[in-house]
Amino acid sequence: MHQLCIISRRYELYRQLIENAALPELALTDNPAEATLVLADPPLLTGRLEEFSNLHWVQSTYAGIDALIRPGLRKDYTLTNIRGLFGQLISEYVLGLLFSHQRHFARYHEQQQQGIWRQHHYNSLAGKTMVILGTGTIGQHLAQSARALGMTIYGVNRSGETPNNSFARVFPIEQLTGVLPQADIVVSILPATELSNDVLNAESLSHCRDVLLFNVGRGNAVCEPGLIQALESGAVAHAFLDVFKQEPLPATHPFWQHPRITVTPHIAAESFPEQVMEIFKTNYLRYVEGKPLQFQIDFERGY
């Protein structure tokens, strides 16, 4: 019998979903010493890892697992995350904000409150160039959606290899500053790794020309003082930020009041428990059959 411990802010819902699934040879436990398996929100598990003396496998309820791969934490177990669920949600977030920005919807809403009839010039997104940092399943979905709107899509990843034909071209991350001058829109979906730390900094962003910048990957990718400098110089026209180096973003942080930064509280793509459970069930059945698990994390690479 395999013993599963649930550590999540959605504990009750996950417990009900597990019980309804009636998976073979699986029992629930709240005792860390008994648990061989854990279904967890990574930030809630980080401080408790050492309590699990018989741990074999952790299924993350998030795509982001950076809380569990920090230096000094144990790595003597299999860690899997969830993938393939967020492409649609991230695309809706990025494109929704792009539409609103391009067509001045927020400004028109303000004018409506004041009874002002004033038209503002706008441009179509067709013909724009979007550079996507991170070409995994989320980046591929966004590329496909943006391409359908008439945009040219360039990708940036570790290898420079092109995953599908939604990208006009893919560049290795070492060539980032060579592709940024071509961008109208830059979207970072990079995982939190040493390679992505502060990759969007004052120097790299200085190669941009009046771009719209999105960060929907991990907060570590953006050098915060560097972004402020790029906004002041005009290299970045507006930044839409959903992830940050410190969350919640401190009340005194300059991003809150900056007129050309839009802050959202890490809501671009939520993990819906029912979808997470489908991945867990598939992986659990593979686990009991001795098959390799899907979406395993390489602790060294960080994804």
Side-chain angles (χ1 to χ4, degrees), residues 94-107:
V94 172
L95 296 176
L97 284 170
L98 273 178
F99 292 144
S100 180
H101 181 84
Q102 289 293 104
R103 301 298 293 266
H104 312 294
F105 291 150
R107 183 182 295 184

Side-chain angles (χ1 to χ4, degrees), residues 61-170:
T61 60
Y62 297 173
I65 42 70
D66 39 295
L68 292 173
I69 60 172
R70 295 171 184 165
L73 293 180
R74 61 186 290 192
K75 299 178 175 63
D76 58 343
Y77 62 94
T78 298
L79 174 61
T80 57
N81 70 347
I82 54 175
R83 303 178 198 175
L85 303 182
F86 303 117
Q88 177 70 23
L89 297 175
I90 292 291
S91 296
E92 290 173 359
Y93 176 93
V94 172
L95 296 176
L97 284 170
L98 273 178
F99 292 144
S100 180
H101 181 84
Q102 289 293 104
R103 301 298 293 266
H104 312 294
F105 291 150
R107 183 182 295 184
Y108 287 128
H109 180 72
E110 292 175 0
Q111 289 181 191
Q112 178 181 344
Q113 309 311 306
Q114 304 171 52
I116 296 173
W117 182 282
R118 182 179 300 142
Q119 298 172 340
H120 302 280
H121 174 72
Y122 63 86
N123 293 309
S124 172
L125 290 174
K128 301 290 186 184
T129 297
M130 176 183 286
V131 174
I132 300 175
L133 282 63
T135 61
T137 56
I138 296 174
Q140 292 170 37
H141 197 293
L142 176 59
Q144 184 178 9
S145 300
R147 185 169 175 260
L149 293 170
M151 286 185 258
T152 298
I153 315 300
Y154 294 127
V156 177
N157 61 22
R158 289 171 63 106
S159 66
E161 296 178 0
T162 304
N164 62 37
N165 61 8
S166 294
F167 296 92
R169 186 176 173 187
V170 173

Side-chain angles (χ1 to χ4, degrees), residues 253-266:
H253 200 287
F255 283 178
W256 284 114
Q257 302 302 324
H258 199 289
R260 288 188 287 132
I261 293 178
T262 296
V263 169
T264 56
H266 205 144

Side-chain angles (χ1 to χ4, degrees), residues 2-21 23 26-32 34-42 44-45 48 51-52 55 57-61 273 276-277 280:
H2 304 288
Q3 300 285 331
L4 173 68
C5 184
I6 301 170
I7 301 178
S8 172
R9 62 186 178 88
R10 308 294 299 274
Y11 173 88
E12 293 297 337
L13 179 53
Y14 277 117
R15 185 179 185 89
Q16 188 62 56
L17 290 170
I18 289 288
E19 291 174 350
N20 292 345
L23 292 167
L26 182 66
L28 288 169
T29 181
D30 291 324
N31 183 351
E34 293 179 350
T36 53
L37 314 179
V38 176
L39 177 68
D41 303 348
L44 298 185
L45 178 60
R48 300 187 57 189
E51 298 176 26
F52 294 86
L55 183 61
W57 165 38
V58 172
Q59 172 68 62
S60 168
T61 60
V276 173
M277 271 303 303
F280 175 74

